[in-house]
Amino acid sequence: MGADVSATIGRDEHVPLMNLLGASVINYKTDKVDDYVAKYTGGAGFDVVFDSVGGENMLKSFEAAKLNGHVASTVSLLSLDLSLVHMKGLSLHVVFMLIQMIHAYANRSIKIFLKKSLS
C-alpha cells in the first residue's frame, strides 16, 4: 500500500530534500494550481492536501483538492471565504498545535520533549 506524494516548497533549495523523500515537487509561489493538478492528478485534484503555509494559500489548497477531498492545516488563524469548501464537499481539518500549552494541558511526552528542547 503506497501513496503518490507531492510536496510544496517556497524556495528552490528545498528541491533536493523533497526528491530524496520521493515527493513530486510543486513550488506554491510560482506554479499555478491548475497546472500542477493537471500534471499530478490528471485534473481530478488531490485526495488529501496538508497546508502548512496558511493565509491566502488556503484557497489554493481548496482549489487543489478533489471533490469530496480533505484539507488539513496547522496555520488557519485567518478569516476566509469557505464557499469553495462547500461547493467541493471538502472536509476541512484544522489543528492548532499549541492548544495544549495554551490550556495548560500537556501530557508526559510533551513535557519531556519541551524539557529536552529547551535545555
Side-chain angles (χ1 to χ4, degrees):
M1 187 168 149
D4 292 324
V5 176
S6 299
T8 56
I9 59 162
R11 296 190 311 241
D12 288 338
E13 59 260 27
H14 296 149
V15 171
L17 175 59
M18 295 304 104
N19 289 334
L20 180 67
L21 296 172
S24 300
V25 179
I26 299 165
N27 187 321
Y28 72 89
K29 292 181 178 180
T30 60
D31 297 344
K32 294 185 171 142
V33 176
D34 288 342
D35 292 343
Y36 62 77
V37 167
K39 180 176 181 178
Y40 296 114
T41 72
F46 294 93
D47 295 329
V48 178
V49 176
F50 176 67
D51 186 315
S52 61
V53 176
E56 293 297 317
N57 194 69
M58 288 285 289
L59 294 173
K60 291 181 180 180
S61 295
F62 301 156
E63 191 178 341
K66 74 175 191 174
L67 290 176
N68 298 312
H70 306 276
V71 176
S73 179
T74 56
V75 191
S76 56
L77 295 173
L78 71 153
S79 296
L80 196 61
D81 181 0
L82 297 177
S83 297
L84 191 54
V85 173
H86 294 286
M87 297 300 291
K88 292 179 82 172
L90 301 177
S91 294
L92 176 60
H93 184 78
V94 296
V95 177
F96 185 41
M97 296 177 66
L98 299 177
I99 197 77
Q100 292 181 340
M101 289 189 289
I102 290 171
H103 292 284
Y105 172 83
N107 65 31
R108 188 175 191 284
S109 61
I110 292 173
K111 289 178 184 175
I112 292 169
F113 171 77
L114 290 174
K115 280 184 181 180
K116 287 181 180 179
S117 298
L118 299 174
S119 58

